[in-house]
Amino acid sequence: MNSYIESTSFFGNVSAEELATKYGTPLYVYNERILRNSMRTVSKLIQGYRYVANYSMKANSNLSILKIVNEEGLNADAMSEGEIRLLMKAGFSTDRIFFVPNNVSSQEMQFAIDNGILVSLDSLDQLERYGNLDRGGRCAIRINPGVGAGHHSKVVTAGKNTKFAISRDDIDEALEIAARHELTIVGINQHVGSLFMDPEPFLQAVSNLLSVAQRFGRLEFIDFGGGYGVPYHKLDNEQSFDFENFEVKFKALVDEFVSTVGYTPLFKTEPGRYVCCEGGVLLGRVHATKDNAGRKYAGTDIGMNVLARPAIYDAWHDIEVIRNSEIITDGDLEKVTLVGNICETGDIIADDRLLPKIKTEDLVCVLDAGAYGYSMSSNYNCRLRPAEVLITENGDDKLIRRRENYDDLFSSFEL
Ligand code: LLP
């Protein structure tokens, strides 16, 4: 069997067992070298034009990782006041933050305006609200390009069934609202959804957005959104997203647009998952195994509160099994259902999965956990959120977020 941990020397100079003993489990572990490589890939997504990648920080909002993103020269997008505040804390200047919210209050818009952060409005109603707050100001609008994509219907954010964006049929009305408030629409953005490996729907959306762009005057920027996939079945040799081939097709559309309109805006993308997914894993300890009605269960401390993706989207994450610091890559396999410690039957990490025979006290390592892992975790069942550790470029381990404690958990109660 393949091992991603081994082939990438993921844990650097330390072993999984040392990390688990030192920091406890469950534990998110990130590899700085892999993270930086992914950031560098998305930094050159469109070549030959003014281009910037906005890191979509909802995928992973650890402050140390945001600082690395900042060092690598990416800009960022934010979905909430909290995300804006954290980006500012990580050192992003406000002109490098793009606020792309959905259904926000005037207070939250005002926070962005007061800080000089550009806001994208994603409904006519929100555009009207923005106009009332910032007459004569600058803003962007989010357009539904009519084509969506994503690994699950719950993460497709364009096309027919979505709460996001302004439909192409409503652009005249959007322009009217903007004119009434003397707003300048300086940019347009889209986001088709999260995780595509086949670039075609995305490219169709790019083409649609570029034709819509011609209905605006000279735009300062056009932002194509995120969604670039990573191979979650890498142990079965699923290949990485083919950026080389993609870039050629992407650039051809952009070339055609530029020659038609006769000006060159800044082009942007908003990758989240691609930046941090493969650079993160989640370690957990097996505390019990059992057979129930012919099905073997391995019970770990990785509850759905720690990694929600399998429970919410039936998402697949590859699993490696580690015993006494050795990654088990040979020997007998058996079907096992890997579960957590939460009081829900759906608290499953891997359902009926063929894995090396698991014993109590083994460690399991959930791959591709760097995106939408910690950032979607919760305190359900009054469980503490785990610690996060970075394996630095020289291979050493560094704590970048401590495990929560019970004081944190109870700190907001008023009696
Ligand atoms: N831009 C906007 C406006 C977005 O809503 C998102 C993600 C992104 C960019 C980044 O997309 P990415 O490159 O990461 O695919 N929790 C789900 C994914 C939800 C994505 C939400 N929006 C999951 O775990 O699969």
Side-chain angles (χ1 to χ4, degrees):
M1 262 172 73
N2 298 328
S3 168
Y4 175 73
I5 308 171
E6 216 160 64
S7 67
T8 56
S9 306
F10 197 94
F11 298 124
N13 308 329
V14 270
S15 70
E17 193 55 59
E18 283 167 332
L19 290 167
T21 308
K22 185 166 171 188
Y23 301 105
T25 55
L27 180 70
Y28 276 99
V29 186
Y30 305 101
N31 180 296
E32 183 175 0
R33 177 178 38 82
I34 300 174
L35 291 173
R36 285 190 190 268
N37 275 340
S38 308
M39 292 170 199
R40 288 170 194 169
T41 301
V42 294
S43 296
K44 357 183 242 273
L45 249 175
I46 311 177
Q47 304 202 25
Y49 288 102
R50 283 191 308 125
Y51 161 73
V52 66
N54 279 355
Y55 171 53
S56 193
M57 66 166 287
K58 56 182 79 71
N60 189 314
S61 47
N62 183 288
L63 189 54
S64 299
I65 293 179
L66 294 178
K67 286 187 172 175
I68 296 174
V69 171
N70 193 13
E71 273 173 30
E72 290 292 333
L74 278 70
N75 287 357
D77 79 52
M79 185 70 191
S80 67
E81 179 174 331
E83 288 194 348
I84 294 176
R85 286 176 182 271
L86 202 47
L87 286 168
M88 285 163 47
K89 222 176 166 49
F92 285 84
S93 55
T94 52
D95 59 326
R96 292 176 51 221
I97 302 174
F98 184 32
F99 189 29
V100 194
N102 175 239
N103 305 330
V104 289
S105 66
S106 301
Q107 174 276 327
E108 209 164 328
M109 281 184 194
Q110 192 63 50
F111 176 80
I113 295 166
D114 290 346
N115 283 284
I117 292 170
L118 192 72
V119 185
S120 168
L121 291 317
D122 97 326
S123 67
L124 298 176
D125 208 3
Q126 291 260 287
L127 182 60
E128 188 79 55
R129 183 186 290 261
Y130 187 88
N132 286 327
L133 295 174
D134 192 27
R135 185 172 185 79
R138 292 152 44 85
C139 68
I141 59 173
R142 175 168 170 177
I143 289 168
N144 184 339
V147 189
H151 67 86
H152 189 283
S153 58
K154 289 182 183 168
V155 299
V156 175
T157 53
K160 284 210 173 74
N161 294 311
T162 177
K163 65 170 180 161
F164 294 105
I166 295 176
S167 128
R168 286 174 294 171
D169 301 336
D170 289 336
I171 288 177
D172 285 339
E173 210 174 324
L175 288 169
E176 245 172 65
I177 296 171
R180 195 155 24 81
H181 294 284
E182 294 174 16
L183 292 172
T184 309
I185 296 175
V186 296
I188 55 174
N189 58 299
Q190 70 170 24
H191 177 63
V192 294
S194 196
L195 205 169
F196 55 82
M197 295 304 272
D198 168 10
E200 292 310 323
F202 174 83
L203 292 167
Q204 183 58 54
V206 167
S207 165
N208 293 356
L209 188 71
L210 289 172
S211 51
V212 166
Q214 299 179 34
R215 298 179 58 188
F216 295 82
R218 211 181 161 91
L219 291 168
E220 285 177 22
F221 71 86
I222 300 176
D223 178 344
F224 300 108
Y228 318 97
V230 298
Y232 279 89
H233 290 262
K234 46 174 53 63
L235 297 185
D236 280 332
N237 298 318
E238 187 188 1
Q239 297 303 299
S240 297
F241 186 75
D242 183 358
F243 276 108
E244 249 172 68
N245 197 10
F246 171 72
E247 202 256 337
V248 176
K249 295 182 179 172
F250 197 177
K251 189 158 177 289
L253 294 173
V254 168
D255 285 342
E256 193 188 323
F257 171 78
V258 168
S259 74
T260 309
V261 296
Y263 76 95
T264 313
L266 169 69
F267 293 110
K268 301 188 193 188
T269 61
E270 287 169 6
R273 186 188 312 271
Y274 191 84
V275 168
C276 50
C277 191
E278 296 182 278
V281 299
L282 175 56
L283 282 175
R285 181 78 72 186
V286 179
H287 290 305
T289 61
K290 72 157 80 155
D291 281 299
N292 251 4
R295 185 187 269 254
K296 178 174 169 181
Y297 290 89
T300 74
D301 49 17
I302 302 179
M304 61 194 277
N305 65 309
V306 174
L307 180 69
R309 302 190 71 256
I312 299 183
Y313 316 113
D314 277 330
W316 174 285
H317 285 261
D318 278 338
I319 308 285
E320 298 196 29
V321 179
I322 302 164
R323 184 172 307 142
N324 303 325
S325 296
E326 296 291 325
I327 303 162
I328 305 179
T329 49
D330 50 16
D332 291 344
L333 303 181
E334 70 176 346
K335 279 217 167 154
V336 62
T337 295
L338 205 62
V339 293
N341 50 10
I342 293 295
C343 190
E344 298 247 359
T345 297
D347 180 31
I348 295 173
I349 309 161
D351 199 3
D352 228 6
R353 187 77 68 86
L354 205 54
L355 287 175
K357 283 190 172 169
I358 292 181
K359 295 186 188 164
T360 302
E361 296 307 327
D362 284 349
L363 285 175
V364 289
C365 181
V366 180
L367 304 188
D368 303 310
Y372 305 108
Y374 191 103
S375 66
M376 290 175 72
S377 65
S378 78
N379 291 121
Y380 186 36
N381 281 183
C382 285
R383 293 221 166 266
L384 304 176
R385 286 192 178 81
E388 297 182 289
V389 166
L390 183 71
I391 305 298
T392 61
E393 283 184 298
N394 59 20
D396 297 335
D397 55 303
K398 181 179 162 201
L399 185 66
I400 55 170
R401 172 143 48 185
R402 66 163 172 79
R403 180 175 304 281
E404 281 180 335
N405 58 41
Y406 289 106
D407 287 338
D408 297 327
L409 190 60
F410 306 144
S411 65
S412 51
F413 289 121
E414 306 270 2
L415 290 175

